[in-house]
Every structure is written in structure tokens, then in C-alpha cells.
Amino acid sequence: MQATRAGAPWAKGIGVAQTLLMIGTRKGLWLGRSDDRETWAIDGPHFLMNEVIACAIDARGESTRLLAGAMSSHFGSQVFRSDDLGATWHETPNGAIRFPEGAGASLEQIWQLAPGAASEPDVVYAGTQPSALFKSEDRGETFSLVRALWDHPHRQEWGAGFGGQAIHTVIAHPDDPDRLTVAMSTGGVYRTFDGGSSWSPANVGVKAYFLPDPWPEFGQCVHKVAVHPSRPERMFQQNHHGVYRTDDGGEQWVSIADGLPSDFGFPIVVDPHDPDTVFVFPLVADGQRIPPDGRPRVWRSRDAGDSWEELSQGLPEGDFYAGVMRDGMTADAAEPTGLYFGSRDGNVYASCDDGDSWRLIASHLPDVMCVRAAVLA
């Protein structure tokens, strides 16, 4: 086992509640810390010149574990883990995630790292490119391929989105560890009710305008799916063109895009305190991928998408041409809710009042790909 030092002096001796922020970029990982969510100490880079598209903060065990999926153009993809808030990092020999012999594929990129249900504190899932799901039963030290999804008869027809063919969303049901939802680009949403032994698509009501049949069983280009743990049957989806909600666990999706300046975007985030409050970051169409009028805005709905309001205080008023990626926006569980987003021009913005106002907390980083936040005791 190899350990690497990355200079995080604040990671030891913490005696007060603090907010921890993970910022994954095209050229490494940065860690942020704040005791008041207004002033921030930013530490990094970790894994310089590695693409960090996936990261996770897993606070279910006796100690908080940080996970980062880092891809080196020379060494390939690896899962790194830290049990001391980033002071040291450990890697598993042979990369932790590898396709078994005979699978006919090799790992290109790790797109998602997601803790499992609370009742299974050692379970962690990984979504990858090509579209596959891996499961760990030792908190992310080793992973095995979920073979039933890889062998699904639909897989040969899953396509590649602009960013590649990947499973980028993994949602564990909070009360039933046998239930799991994944989403991919392109392929759509799939669910299992038997711990991964069988999988079925869940895309009714979601349009795929780019296909000959715009209402297919599968093949939709999902950008992100979000859920509130207290109401797992309600999920929200940002699609390639479309914003949707389901109230029955994915049996039927309905559009909630009315009132938004664009139905295109990547991230979608549910307020941890309210299953009716959801946030999106609209972009102009798939051919431009910039904020409308060059003005970055977060849009909030407090009624599950029936209406939307623009949140702009503290954000630039123009000349902003960077997008926010599917995992580039997140929320913490503090009160009031903290929100964070990182853009592809290397800026990170934070709000500690449920999105009502924003401030720049990091700038001139590399292209931001993922952001995760947690309040730690």
C-alpha cells in the first residue's frame, strides 16, 4: 500500500464543526475548509496533473473517509482514499477498479464514487467509462464489477455522449440496500430491486429528441439525477434537453422545465433539508454550453419544479462563458443550506444562505469537474 503526503496541516486536531469541500479538477484535487462558511482555507493540489472527475466524502464509518478517482495519462485511473481528511492518501495496488478478464473492456475513467446505504457502511459504488457499475464492500479499497448490469442486453446499444459513455449517477435507496438507481450518458436511467441481480430501464416520459423514436425505452442522455433521502421515490433529473421529476421512483417522469431560461444544463441538486427544493444551473443549448447572456445563475424551485426563481446576488453580471459540469454543484447539510459550484474556468462560488447570495471562494484553479461538501464535527 502506497501513501502520499499532500500537506493538509488543518486536517489534524479539529475540535469544532467545520465544512469540508472537495474540488476535483482536470489537473488535481483541492480541499477547502471553513469554520463559518464565509472564510475558506484552500489546500492543494493533490494528485497534480491527474484528472479528478469523481470524489466523495463518506462519513458513515468511525472516521470520515475521502475518496477520489484520479486518472493519470501515464498510469491510468486509480481510487485514492484518505482517513485523515487529506493529510495522507493511499492507493490500492492494481488500481482498485479493473474489468475482469473476459469482460472485453478496460477502464477509461472513474465518473462517480457514491457511498451505499447507511445500513451497509462498508459499501461504496463506482460508476465508470465505459458504462459499468462496480461495488466495494471494504469502503473503497477494492471493487468488483456488477456483472448483471454489464451483461444487460441493452448495453450494446448504449451510446456515447459528448463526454463519453459513462455511468455518472449512482443512488442507493436509504432504506432498502437491494434498491439502486444508476444513470448514464447515453443510455438512460436503470433500476435494480434485488441488489443488482437484475436491472430494468426507468425512462418513461423522458424525451430523446436526437433519436428516430423520441420516446424510447432507453437511450436518453441523462446528465444528472438527484434525490432527497427522506423521500426516495421523488427524484429530479437534468437531461440533455429537459428537466424532469418523478414521484414514483422512476415509473413515470414529468417535465418541470417551464419557467427556466433553458432546459439544457448538467447539475441538479436537492436541498438536504427539503425534498421540494431543487437547484439547477441552466446553459444555452448543447451547441453553446454557456450561461444565458453570459450571466451565471443558479435557479431554485421550492415547490418541486412547479415554479422557479433566479438566484444572482454576488454572481458575475456578464462576460462569464464557462459551464458547470454534472457533479460541479453540490450542497452541504448545514442550516441554512450551503451550496457550492465550480466552473470550467476554475472559479468556485459558495452560498451559506440556501442560494440567496454568493461569494467567490477560489479562483484560477484548473477546469473544475466535481465538487463535494460535508459538515464535520
Side-chain angles (χ1 to χ4, degrees):
M1 180 179 296
Q2 177 180 353
T4 57
R5 188 82 183 174
W10 48 265
K12 297 182 179 180
I14 297 169
V16 297
Q18 68 173 250
T19 301
L20 176 68
L21 197 63
M22 299 183 74
I23 306 166
T25 80
R26 289 286 191 188
K27 294 182 179 180
L29 172 76
W30 275 257
L31 299 176
R33 170 184 71 88
S34 178
D35 295 330
D36 57 10
R37 298 189 299 169
E38 293 186 359
T39 57
W40 290 83
I42 306 295
D43 164 65
H46 306 250
F47 323 119
L48 182 61
M49 296 305 295
N50 282 247
E51 290 188 348
V52 181
I53 293 180
C55 59
I57 303 173
D58 186 358
R60 294 172 303 161
E62 293 182 359
S63 63
T64 297
R65 172 165 286 187
L66 308 185
L67 296 167
M71 196 278 283
S72 163
S73 59
H74 183 73
F75 296 106
S77 292
Q78 170 66 275
V79 176
F80 290 90
R81 64 189 187 278
S82 174
D83 292 326
D84 52 17
L85 301 185
T88 57
W89 293 91
H90 301 268
E91 62 179 321
T92 300
N94 300 318
I97 297 177
R98 290 293 183 264
F99 282 88
E101 291 187 13
S106 59
L107 179 66
E108 298 177 44
Q109 182 66 272
I110 301 166
W111 279 72
Q112 185 78 167
L113 291 166
S119 61
E120 295 185 320
D122 293 331
V123 171
V124 175
Y125 293 98
T128 70
Q129 177 183 349
S131 291
L133 180 69
F134 288 79
K135 181 179 181 180
S136 171
E137 296 181 311
D138 52 17
R139 297 195 75 197
E141 297 186 24
T142 61
F143 288 81
S144 59
L145 177 66
V146 178
R147 195 78 203 209
L149 185 59
W150 179 251
D151 292 335
H152 197 285
H154 291 174
R155 183 175 66 83
Q156 298 301 323
E157 299 181 57
W158 294 342
F162 188 74
Q165 184 203 67
I167 289 180
H168 51 63
T169 299
V170 182
I171 298 173
H173 193 282
D175 304 318
D176 184 353
D178 286 335
R179 294 179 61 179
L180 196 70
T181 300
V182 302
M184 68 189 78
S185 174
T186 60
V189 175
Y190 281 75
R191 300 177 298 173
T192 181
F193 297 90
D194 54 16
S197 296
S198 63
W199 296 82
S200 58
N203 302 293
V204 175
V206 178
K207 189 174 183 179
Y209 74 95
F210 48 84
L211 295 178
D213 175 9
W215 303 101
E217 179 186 16
F218 64 94
Q220 290 84 351
C221 187
V222 183
H223 283 179
K224 197 64 186 176
V225 176
V227 66
H228 191 282
S230 73
R231 195 169 179 179
E233 300 306 312
R234 168 176 284 173
M235 293 186 284
F236 297 91
Q237 178 182 156
Q238 173 68 68
N239 200 267
H240 186 84
H241 264 298
V243 184
Y244 298 91
R245 185 188 77 227
T246 178
D247 293 318
D248 52 20
E251 295 291 334
Q252 177 76 42
W253 296 86
V254 297
S255 174
I256 56 171
D258 287 350
L260 290 171
S262 170
D263 65 357
F264 183 88
F266 287 95
I268 191 163
V269 174
V270 177
D271 190 317
H273 303 296
D274 181 9
D276 290 334
T277 298
V278 60
F279 304 87
V280 295
F281 191 98
L283 300 176
V284 179
D286 51 342
Q288 299 182 34
R289 304 186 181 217
I290 64 173
D293 301 319
R295 300 167 66 241
R297 297 292 182 261
V298 175
W299 287 72
R300 177 178 63 199
S301 173
R302 294 193 184 276
D303 51 19
D306 289 341
S307 64
W308 295 91
E309 58 181 322
E310 177 183 335
L311 306 176
S312 61
Q313 184 177 338
L315 296 177
E317 288 301 321
D319 299 324
F320 190 102
Y321 302 108
V324 174
M325 297 309 295
R326 66 189 83 246
D327 280 314
M329 187 163 71
T330 193
D332 65 29
E335 185 68 58
T337 300
L339 292 165
Y340 311 87
F341 73 82
S343 55
R344 301 201 69 174
D345 62 356
N347 292 322
V348 181
Y349 291 86
S351 168
C352 58
D353 54 13
D354 204 29
D356 286 337
S357 63
W358 297 83
R359 68 179 64 205
L360 181 68
I361 64 169
S363 59
H364 306 301
L365 298 180
D367 188 349
V368 176
M369 301 303 295
C370 59
V371 180
R372 288 290 181 265
V375 178
L376 308 176

